[in-house]
Amino acid sequence: VKKKTTKTTPRIDLYYWPGIQGRGEFVRLALEEAGAPYRDVARTPGGMKAMMATLEGKDARGLRPFAPPFVKTGGLVIAQTSLVLHALAPRLGLVPEDEASRLAALQIQLTIADLAMEAHDVHHPISGGLYYEDQKTEAKRASRSFTKERIPKFLGWLESLLERNRASKHQYLVGRSLTYVDLSAFEIMSGLEYAFPRAMKRIEKKLPLLVALRDRVAARPRIAAYLASPRRLPWSTDDLLRHYPELDEA
Ligand SMILES: N[C@@H](CCC(=O)N[C@@H](CS)C(=O)NCC(=O)O)C(=O)O
């Protein structure tokens, strides 16, 4: 895939909660891999105020986003993580141009987004508006089927896509070279390994191609530089995926 990022590419302003990786990280990884001219607005002085103004509908231009992450670029306001990636990827050189490939990538990204949501709902099974401490019993129950059935089903599906592509000597999820969904697969693995280290150790034994893809993504020069930079925040129990030892497998 040819990189199209040039001096004439309009700047991309990313808006996301400043203290966590969260869903914003899927977009950050794509921007970093492409070397795109972008600003992480809410991490700049006055940026949070600007983000809240847009969320509250005080920005007359574009559709009012329901929730972060969203981007502003070339007069557009785009929210919904998967849609943001679908819209930006062609100009970032992170998806092939044909419709079948773009739809395949979007389908995979939406499925990774489902997995991210289920992973979040393990620590907040009753409501995102309540503290974890107030839903611990339900979280414990949710974590059992999540680690036993759901993670293996989602990641096993990604592994099966890599197996099929390997038959045509390709080592990425879509087509013959890296796309944004490979970066997203890396990110969800990173979050799951942080949140459920024991379960993931067991599950990953059956995912050799996905583990190899994760390592290949982490070793890409721009991604490696990003991961080593202060822009990459460490995982924490404020994030979308959280490590509570009692929710991991015994
Ligand atoms: N489906 C949306 C979900 C967006 C979302 O839930 N964002 C979170 C942060 S990761 C948020 O701020 N939600 C506020 C809310 O749901 O009230 C996406 O994929 O972008």
Side-chain angles (χ1 to χ4, degrees), residues 29 32-33 183 186 214-232:
L29 285 169
E32 292 280 346
E33 169 60 30
L183 306 174
F186 160 83
R214 175 203 68 194
D215 293 345
R216 235 179 297 120
V217 168
R220 293 181 73 84
R222 283 174 174 162
I223 297 296
Y226 170 67
L227 295 177
S229 78
R231 300 193 300 289
R232 170 75 169 188

Side-chain angles (χ1 to χ4, degrees), residues 16-17 20 22-24 66-69 79-82 113 240:
Y16 191 69
W17 304 116
I20 59 170
R23 290 180 173 90
F66 176 74
Q80 287 286 357
T81 313
S82 307
L240 184 64

Side-chain angles (χ1 to χ4, degrees), residues 177-224:
S177 50
L178 181 100
T179 69
Y180 68 88
V181 292
D182 299 308
L183 306 174
S184 296
F186 160 83
E187 178 60 12
I188 198 68
M189 296 280 281
S190 165
L192 291 169
E193 285 164 1
Y194 153 71
F196 307 101
R198 290 191 295 254
M200 284 299 281
K201 208 170 164 204
R202 168 182 65 82
I203 295 164
E204 284 180 352
K205 286 187 187 136
K206 293 192 180 147
L207 307 169
L209 300 179
L210 192 56
V211 167
L213 177 70
R214 175 203 68 194
D215 293 345
R216 235 179 297 120
V217 168
R220 293 181 73 84
R222 283 174 174 162
I223 297 296

Side-chain angles (χ1 to χ4, degrees), residues 13-17 50-72 76-81 83-84:
D13 281 343
L14 167 66
Y15 293 76
Y16 191 69
W17 304 116
M51 180 165 99
M52 295 319 291
T54 302
L55 285 172
E56 287 158 13
K58 291 177 185 152
D59 190 334
R61 286 163 308 167
L63 189 70
R64 176 187 170 196
F66 176 74
F70 59 91
V71 295
K72 294 189 187 181
L76 293 172
V77 182
I78 313 165
Q80 287 286 357
T81 313
L83 181 64
V84 170

Side-chain angles (χ1 to χ4, degrees), residues 123-124 126-135 242:
H123 56 78
H124 278 73
I126 302 296
S127 167
L130 295 173
Y131 290 110
Y132 167 64
E133 283 68 27
D134 297 329
Q135 41 195 322
R242 300 186 184 183

